[in-house]
Amino acid sequence: MNDDGLVSAAAWGDWLRAQIATTAVVERAVTEAHGLVLAENAVARYDLPLWANSAMDGYAVRAADLGVGVSLRVLGEVPAGSGADPELPVGCAVRIMTGAAVPTDADTVIPVERTRSADGETWARDTVQILEPVAEGANIRRPGEDTRAGTVLAAAGTRLTAARQAALAAAGVERVRVHAAPRVAVVVTGSELCAPGQVPQRGQIPESNSVLIAGLLREVGLEPVAVRHSRDDAAGVRALLAELARGMVDSSGCDLILTTGGIGPGTHDVVRIALESEPGVRGAEVAVRPGAPQRAGRLTEGPLVIALPGNPVSAAVSFELFVRPVLLGMQGAARTERPRAQAVAGADWRGKVGRLQVLPVRVEDAGEAGRTVDAPQLCCVPAVNPRGVSHAVGGHGTADGYALVAEDRGDVRAGETVPVILVGS
């Protein structure tokens, strides 16, 4: 195992992404592909809309027949889902519902609110009077005006959201080729940790990293194949890593093993000790705060391992900066980082020149003071004490973003702008 000196967060992230092996390409039904990344373009099979249909509840008419006070004879009705195409002689109308196919003879739909029935009902049975005409072609959705058949609806490298799934289904795409979801195992270390539900004894703390890391995986659309806790026993950690790598815990094995804790220089930092014999694993101090100690690389038995710090906020920041991009990169995603927004700092906080500061913040609307052409409309305030971030799991739980303070910046003053990664709902 190689141990490096201080490296930048950007350099560490680049090195990690260079270790990625993309997952296998598989075929899935569109309905079962949510959260997966397309391995090839998905192309519309049908025009959207497929045929001319009504955008309103009203009457299908000929525009030439319209005029204030004009009465039209009602011939029938076309509900949504009907295949009927009734003839429409001059001076006639057909009741039509939103989404229904517009009769071939009609060129316009007039909303029911702009008409009056002879018998005072909302809908006319025999005769309808026009109160306010509309322009020719009004309220008709034309075939292909949204998307034409053959159009690329989602490119390779795109992650399938619910909206993209719906677009593909509407355009007749039934199956897609995607990258398989990476198989990820989680190992949490620390003899001081007691399981959720147990009462901590002196020297113990409730274990939360398994909840954190498993939850962050689920937010990326991945269910961990295994979540394990190990006491501070290097031999036990080494054996557990081998079991996960060989598929002895989960029959399919792992593509990635995430660990938390035990990577410092101490005599009980068992993950560091367990990985010392692995020539493909690298350790470094990354110029980031929190989350400086990092270890990662490929085990001799195959899987990639990323060993994160044990302090919960350090682990969360490390996941956001380094693990999330790796997971998306393993699936061939074109975009592996979240978008960033500019926000106004709502308070002063101390920085540290020489390190990227990643501060959990609460993001709010900046109010009228921020509503100028050039200024951001977001405001952020620290969710934790900037002097002690790594362990502040309580304050971190209220954060919905990470403010990024560049290595050369140092302190932040209220009113200055900072880039923010938005991570909350």
Side-chain angles (χ1 to χ4, degrees):
M1 177 178 66
N2 298 316
D3 274 53
D4 300 337
L6 186 68
V7 299
S8 71
W12 183 249
D14 289 343
W15 183 83
L16 276 175
R17 286 187 286 275
Q19 314 310 307
I20 291 171
T22 54
T23 56
V25 175
V26 296
E27 187 175 278
R28 292 284 186 269
V30 164
T31 54
E32 298 174 357
H34 182 264
L36 298 178
V37 176
L38 288 172
E40 61 183 33
N41 295 347
V43 177
R45 180 180 175 190
Y46 305 135
D47 284 346
L48 292 175
L50 188 56
W51 22 255
N53 68 92
S54 178
M56 303 287 288
D57 292 337
Y59 295 88
V61 297
R62 298 173 185 269
D65 291 338
L66 298 179
V68 176
V70 170
S71 293
L72 302 176
R73 186 160 61 95
V74 179
L75 299 182
E77 180 175 284
V78 182
S82 171
D85 189 9
E87 293 183 2
L88 192 66
V90 173
C92 295
V94 173
R95 291 188 301 271
I96 193 166
M97 303 301 124
T98 302
V102 175
T104 302
D105 292 344
D107 59 19
T108 303
V109 170
I110 185 165
V112 65
E113 295 86 357
R114 298 191 180 194
T115 68
R116 180 170 60 199
S117 64
D119 56 9
E121 300 294 329
T122 301
W123 289 96
R125 295 184 180 181
D126 302 314
T127 304
V128 62
Q129 185 179 44
I130 306 303
L131 299 177
E132 184 182 350
V134 294
E136 181 178 346
N139 304 312
I140 294 180
R141 302 163 177 155
R142 301 296 177 183
E145 71 175 26
D146 176 8
T147 300
R148 287 290 185 184
T151 300
V152 174
L153 284 175
T158 301
R159 189 163 176 248
L160 288 179
T161 61
R164 292 190 181 109
Q165 277 183 292
L168 297 182
V173 178
E174 297 176 2
R175 301 187 70 80
V176 289
R177 288 174 60 77
V178 294
H179 287 279
R183 298 161 298 180
V184 186
V186 179
V187 177
V188 175
T189 66
S191 295
E192 76 278 15
L193 306 177
C194 67
Q198 294 183 351
V199 178
Q201 304 300 311
R202 179 176 172 80
Q204 292 185 317
I205 58 173
E207 192 276 300
S208 62
N209 276 348
S210 64
V211 178
L212 171 69
I213 301 301
L216 291 172
L217 286 171
R218 293 182 182 112
E219 289 178 5
V220 189
L222 302 174
E223 185 65 30
V225 298
V227 178
R228 297 289 184 267
H229 172 241
S230 175
R231 297 181 64 81
D232 289 334
D233 172 18
V237 170
R238 192 178 298 112
L240 181 53
L241 294 177
E243 289 176 2
L244 292 167
R246 297 169 188 161
M248 296 172 66
V249 175
D250 177 85
S251 60
S252 58
C254 297
D255 299 301
L256 172 64
I257 302 172
L258 295 176
T259 72
T260 65
I263 59 172
T267 58
H268 295 281
D269 282 318
V270 294
V271 174
R272 173 186 57 78
I273 296 169
L275 294 175
E276 283 179 343
S277 60
E278 291 287 345
V281 174
R282 173 187 178 191
E285 181 182 356
V286 180
V288 63
R289 179 185 183 216
Q294 299 284 331
R295 289 187 182 272
R298 194 162 294 279
L299 299 177
T300 53
E301 293 179 301
L304 186 66
V305 62
I306 301 180
L308 307 178
N311 280 319
V313 185
S314 297
V317 166
S318 300
F319 188 100
E320 181 65 33
L321 295 184
F322 307 126
V323 179
R324 192 175 187 277
V326 164
L327 292 170
L328 293 172
M330 292 172 77
Q331 299 172 79
R335 175 186 287 179
T336 60
E337 295 181 349
R338 299 188 211 250
R340 298 175 183 183
Q342 292 292 320
V344 175
D348 297 343
W349 70 77
R350 297 295 301 273
K352 186 174 178 62
V353 174
R355 292 183 182 268
L356 172 67
Q357 186 182 20
V358 186
L359 183 66
V361 291
R362 293 188 296 275
V363 181
E364 305 163 351
D365 192 289
E368 293 302 319
R371 297 188 186 283
T372 65
V373 173
D374 299 322
Q377 296 185 7
L378 296 176
C379 175
C380 65
V381 294
V384 302
N385 185 336
R387 295 184 177 181
V389 176
S390 63
H391 68 285
V393 62
H396 180 257
T398 70
D400 44 24
Y402 292 115
L404 303 175
V405 184
E407 293 91 332
D408 59 354
R409 182 166 179 178
D411 297 347
V412 173
R413 301 299 181 192
E416 295 179 347
T417 59
V418 289
V420 174
I421 304 173
L422 301 176
V423 301
S425 57

